[in-house]
Amino acid sequence: MLRIVNPATLDLVREIPCQTADDVTAAVQRARAAQPAWAALPTRERGRALRRLAARLLGDEELIETLVAESGKPRYEAELIELFYTCELTRFYTGRVGRRALRDDVRHPLIFANKKARVVYHARGVVGVIGPWNWPILNNFADCVAPLLAGNAVVLKPSEWTPLTSLRVQTLWRESRLPPDLFQVVTGQADAGRALCAQADMIFFTGSQAAGREVARTAGERLIPAVVELGGKSAMVVLADADLPRAARAAVWSGFAHSGQVCIRTERVLVEAPVADRFIQLCSDEIHRLRQGAPPRELGAPVALDVGAITFPRQITVAKEHIADAVAKGARVVTGGSAPGDLPGQFFAPTLLAEVTPEMKVMREETFGPVLPIMRVADAEEALRVANDSTLGLSGSVWSGDAARARALARRLVSGSVCVNDALVNYFCVEAPLGGVKQSGLGFRHGPESLRQFCRVETIVEDRAGLRWLSAIIGRQLMFPYRARTLRAVRWLMRRLYG
Ligand code: NAD
């Protein structure tokens, strides 16, 4: 059994069965049987069904209450980030962009001008989506929308720490009279994920590097595609001419939203020395205004809370380890540094560290918790050097009063995505691909590019209308028996084209 506990109160939320590899096999087989009928529907109709479901999620109070209870995050983040994002993503993919990306694409070759190449986007079959605990809808069901729209069946394996939200989505799916085997949730631990990797036709994985490597290895053995979305160490670069109060507000929000358990969060701040003291003071003032506590679940409850609980207890250990290592190497705790004494659940105070240096763990390893280190740099070039001195490359931001200078710097950051004078909003730009580079992952979500990842691509080459006669002539000249005259003609052509 899986015991799901509310991290903010430590109360038991629910116990559910922990499914086995055999359960996963059965789910994949059912999904495989249901998929062809779904793929045969026009994209527009599949889109309509997914939009109907999104509307259903929007009106479901139990969904949000479940999400808040099992994650310990403020209701504000559950609704305004997770649910809003899921609906927006569904709107985007089920609209014109999605239909266009999945439509046959006809291309005209130059050399065989008598031919046309039709690119066909087929569904791959059964896509296994494996999700983490930090975003129970956004990195779980929402990542199923694109593969479903592309005509696949999906088996979703949510994290064993937060599976209840996905189970609620599955209930709503069935109540919406959508084919029950087309989208299924399997609950379980890593072994259930492994079983899914062993059977699905494609894997979309979000989680840790260690598990991501194993998923990629299995996919490599089976020669199936896998997208792996892993951790980050995103840098925020603050130049001396930046709007400092705004940058400080963004540093604190992007550092402490969901208690820092956000993959694209600001993990390191690099600020130009002349404004560093003022910036640290502004961040400290912002942090002192934050309200931390157990999130009320009810719809009518006032938004009296900014920072909730730590969903995964190990992140408290990591935060403590990174703070201790930094302090031992000369960093200063400006604010926070320990668990707040007056809260019964899993909490850690938003912690600001100053005087950090690049060799500290907090500057090198993903913290994924409420610790924000600020380092002084001499100039933009040093900021860039430190920011790029990382094995990870997921997100980041550049802050300057000169947008062109900031953009130029952003282009030199080795990262999947960068905000200029903002933070975290890149996740809502669903029109553009978002993914990690270096060891932050392979592949991406968002944009038509991501939708096509869920397709098996087939190219069909055929005659252009009215030019069959030309194909017959070219075919006679080109095929056996080889002729010296043809060789001379092609030599002439090659020299004209490329010589
Ligand atoms: P995790 O790797 O422990 O677990 C993620 C999921 O994978 C869970 O469902 C788990 O049961 C399953 N799993 C674990 N081992 C597996 C294996 N060997 N084979 C198949 N499945 C396996 O990660 P987590 O602790 O849940 O998530 C936190 C991490 O996720 C952080 O590093 C964070 O940065 C990252 N993350 C990345 C993104 C992104 O978009 N890049 C988004 C959210 C979270």
Side-chain angles (χ1 to χ4, degrees), residues 130-131 133 139 157 160 205-208 214 230-231 263 366 445:
I130 302 177
W133 45 263
N139 281 150
K157 211 293 284 168
E160 53 274 39
F205 170 88
T206 305
S208 64
E214 195 181 326
L230 312 177
C263 57
E366 187 185 38
R445 49 172 67 85

Side-chain angles (χ1 to χ4, degrees), residues 255-278:
F256 300 112
H258 190 18
S259 286
Q261 303 163 107
V262 176
C263 57
I264 59 167
R265 74 180 286 259
T266 296
E267 284 260 328
R268 309 174 277 166
V269 183
L270 309 167
V271 54
E272 279 193 305
V275 296
D277 287 333
R278 173 140 186 263

Side-chain angles (χ1 to χ4, degrees), residues 199-429:
Q199 317 208 25
D201 302 310
M202 175 180 177
I203 294 292
F204 191 97
F205 170 88
T206 305
S208 64
Q209 258 189 38
R213 281 182 207 281
E214 195 181 326
V215 168
R217 262 197 306 273
T218 307
E221 284 296 329
R222 296 187 56 220
L223 288 177
I224 59 161
V227 172
V228 293
E229 302 284 355
L230 312 177
K233 195 69 201 165
S234 305
M236 173 179 194
V237 176
V238 183
L239 302 183
D241 63 351
D243 176 343
L244 289 188
R246 189 156 172 247
R249 212 160 40 245
V252 171
W253 181 55
S254 62
F256 300 112
H258 190 18
S259 286
Q261 303 163 107
V262 176
C263 57
I264 59 167
R265 74 180 286 259
T266 296
E267 284 260 328
R268 309 174 277 166
V269 183
L270 309 167
V271 54
E272 279 193 305
V275 296
D277 287 333
R278 173 140 186 263
F279 185 76
I280 291 167
Q281 186 58 51
L282 286 166
C283 288
S284 170
D285 295 346
E286 287 287 335
I287 291 172
H288 281 114
R289 282 193 280 274
L290 296 178
R291 300 157 299 175
Q292 187 174 31
R297 286 155 59 176
E298 307 76 37
L299 179 61
V303 182
L305 185 76
D306 305 303
V307 180
I310 302 286
T311 311
F312 188 41
R314 207 182 88 78
Q315 299 317 128
I316 296 183
T317 313
V318 175
K320 284 182 180 165
E321 190 188 312
H322 285 189
I323 294 168
D325 172 78
V327 169
K329 290 174 179 157
R332 173 168 62 92
V333 177
V334 180
T335 179
S338 58
D342 54 339
L343 296 168
Q346 291 161 196
F347 288 92
F348 199 83
T351 298
L352 191 65
L353 295 177
E355 323 313 338
V356 298
T357 48
E359 73 285 355
M360 295 175 182
K361 278 186 183 174
V362 75
M363 292 292 278
R364 308 208 72 80
E365 298 169 14
E366 187 185 38
T367 310
F368 210 54
V371 183
L372 190 65
I374 301 185
M375 176 180 163
R376 287 165 209 268
V377 289
D379 53 25
E381 290 305 315
E382 187 187 1
L384 198 69
R385 240 183 353 261
V386 174
N388 284 340
D389 178 21
S390 172
T391 55
L392 303 173
L394 187 56
S395 186
S397 64
V398 180
W399 293 77
S400 167
D402 179 345
R405 186 174 167 225
R407 193 184 323 117
L409 207 60
R411 293 177 78 105
R412 294 170 64 203
L413 279 178
V414 185
S415 173
S417 151
V418 182
C419 290
V420 168
N421 291 329
D422 220 322
L424 301 188
V425 295
N426 44 342
Y427 213 96
F428 263 80
C429 298

